[in-house]
């Protein structure tokens, strides 16, 4: 599950796992390793930061990921509306 989500998130961000890993100064062999084994905790945190996502996004199934994205957007819209409504005319 990790690798498929990692690959999907990379594609959504306009990159590939190999390109991302190389840009972070790591060997592309990490990508091959991650197809079979999970990255270390520190590496997961660095990947999440680089991809502007949460570590948990790497482990969600597609339905849960879609729901979490919607709830984030809904919260952002509510915040924007609250700020907009507080402005002077």
């Amino acid at each position: 599950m990790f690798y498929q989500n990692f690959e999907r998130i990379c594609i959504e961000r306009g990159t590939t796992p190999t390109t991302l890993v190389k840009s972070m100064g790591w060997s592309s062999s990490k990508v091959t390793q991650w197809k079979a084994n999970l990255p270390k905790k520190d590496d997961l945190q660095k990947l999440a930061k680089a991809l502007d996502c949460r570590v948990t996004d790497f482990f969600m199934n597609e339905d849960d990921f879609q729901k979490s994205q919607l709830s984030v957007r809904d919260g952002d819209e509510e915040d924007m509306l609250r700020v907009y409504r507080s402005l002077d005319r």
Side-chain angles (χ1 to χ4, degrees), residues 2 5 7 12 17 19-20 22 44 49 58-59 61 72 79 87 89:
F2 162 77
N5 286 337
E7 187 174 45
E12 289 172 357
T19 302
L20 176 70
K22 286 183 176 182
L44 283 170
K49 185 175 181 177
F58 296 127
F59 301 98
N61 66 36
V72 169
D79 287 343
L87 297 174
R89 293 197 180 259

Side-chain angles (χ1 to χ4, degrees), residues 7 9-17 19-20 51:
E7 187 174 45
I9 294 168
C10 283
I11 291 168
E12 289 172 357
R13 303 299 193 269
T15 190
T16 66
T19 302
L20 176 70
L51 291 167

Side-chain angles (χ1 to χ4, degrees), residues 31-48:
V31 174
T32 304
Q33 292 170 359
W34 294 340
K35 288 180 181 181
N37 302 300
L38 289 176
K40 294 178 183 177
K41 179 183 171 185
D42 291 343
D43 290 348
L44 283 170
Q45 292 170 332
K46 290 175 185 176
L47 289 170

Side-chain angles (χ1 to χ4, degrees), residues 72-85:
V72 169
R73 280 191 227 124
D74 291 345
D76 289 346
E77 289 174 12
E78 290 173 18
D79 287 343
M80 288 189 293
L81 284 172
R82 190 174 16 261
V83 169
Y84 176 76
R85 290 179 181 138

Side-chain angles (χ1 to χ4, degrees), residues 2 8 13 16 21-22 25-28 30 32-33 37 41 47 52-53 56 63-64 67 69 71 86:
F2 162 77
R8 177 181 46 76
R13 303 299 193 269
T16 66
V21 166
K22 286 183 176 182
W26 294 335
S27 167
S28 61
K30 281 193 178 268
T32 304
Q33 292 170 359
N37 302 300
K41 179 183 171 185
L47 289 170
D52 191 28
C53 69
T56 56
D63 290 340
D64 290 339
K67 288 176 190 172
Q69 293 300 97
S71 67
S86 71

